[in-house]
């Protein structure tokens, strides 16, 4: 049974930073591409970032490029999302996703991905 558990969300002021973590179990983590998505109230879930199984390549949505960094530690079955220069429009529930297909993550094939339960990020003064 695949299980993804996110943590690290919270309330932060504009311009601040947060690091999200997602621990995976029930999968051969080193063979899975990983990604982060987010969903703001009243909006569809959107792709944020993805990383290959080897961490050799990472991909970002234009809205977060240069501010967010995705990384992974295969020894700890964990993927991270370091978020800096946060803006109010970054407020959303952030979800971790896993798939053996990087294409499915990058193209947002929601029904083909494994999901965590989400962690709330609120950017507000």
């Amino acid at each position: 049974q695949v299980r993804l558990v996110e943590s690290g969300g919270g309330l932060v002021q504009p311009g601040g930073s947060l690091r999200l973590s997602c621990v995976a179990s029930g999968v051969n983590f080193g063979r899975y591409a990983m990604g982060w998505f987010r969903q703001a109230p009243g909006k569809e879930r959107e792709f944020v970032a993805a990383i290959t199984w080897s961490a050799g390549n990472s991909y970002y949505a234009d809205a977060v490029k240069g501010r967010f960094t995705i990384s992974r530690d295969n020894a700890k079955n964990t993927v991270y999302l370091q978020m800096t220069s946060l803006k109010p429009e970054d407020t959303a529930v952030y979800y971790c996703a896993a798939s053996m297909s990087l294409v499915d993550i990058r193209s947002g094939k929601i029904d083909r991905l494994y999901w965590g339960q989400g962690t709330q990020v609120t950017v507000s003064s």
Side-chain angles (χ1 to χ4, degrees):
Q1 194 82 354
V2 176
R3 187 167 184 235
L4 304 174
V5 180
E6 302 97 333
S7 62
L11 173 64
V12 63
Q13 292 188 341
S17 299
L18 278 177
R19 188 176 82 154
L20 306 183
S21 300
C22 171
V23 179
S25 59
V27 294
N28 187 342
F29 185 73
R31 297 186 65 182
Y32 277 72
M34 300 297 296
W36 288 94
F37 288 71
R38 66 187 182 186
Q39 188 166 16
K43 295 189 176 181
E44 293 187 352
R45 194 169 297 189
E46 64 176 3
F47 169 79
V48 174
I51 190 167
T52 55
W53 66 270
S54 65
N57 289 289
S58 55
Y59 306 87
Y60 299 92
D62 288 343
V64 307
K65 205 170 290 183
R67 300 188 297 122
F68 291 10
T69 303
I70 188 171
S71 61
R72 65 189 295 162
D73 184 339
N74 286 351
K76 296 182 178 179
N77 282 14
T78 302
V79 62
Y80 304 97
L81 185 69
Q82 178 68 51
M83 306 185 294
T84 63
S85 301
L86 283 161
K87 305 175 182 180
E89 52 263 43
D90 294 317
T91 295
V93 177
Y94 283 71
Y95 296 91
C96 173
S99 175
M100 294 190 75
S101 169
L102 176 67
V103 171
D104 282 353
I105 292 179
R106 293 189 67 194
S107 59
K109 295 284 196 290
I110 290 177
D111 58 340
R112 296 187 185 181
L113 309 181
Y114 294 107
W115 295 99
Q117 83 289 350
T119 186
Q120 176 71 46
V121 172
T122 302
V123 184
S124 175
S125 54

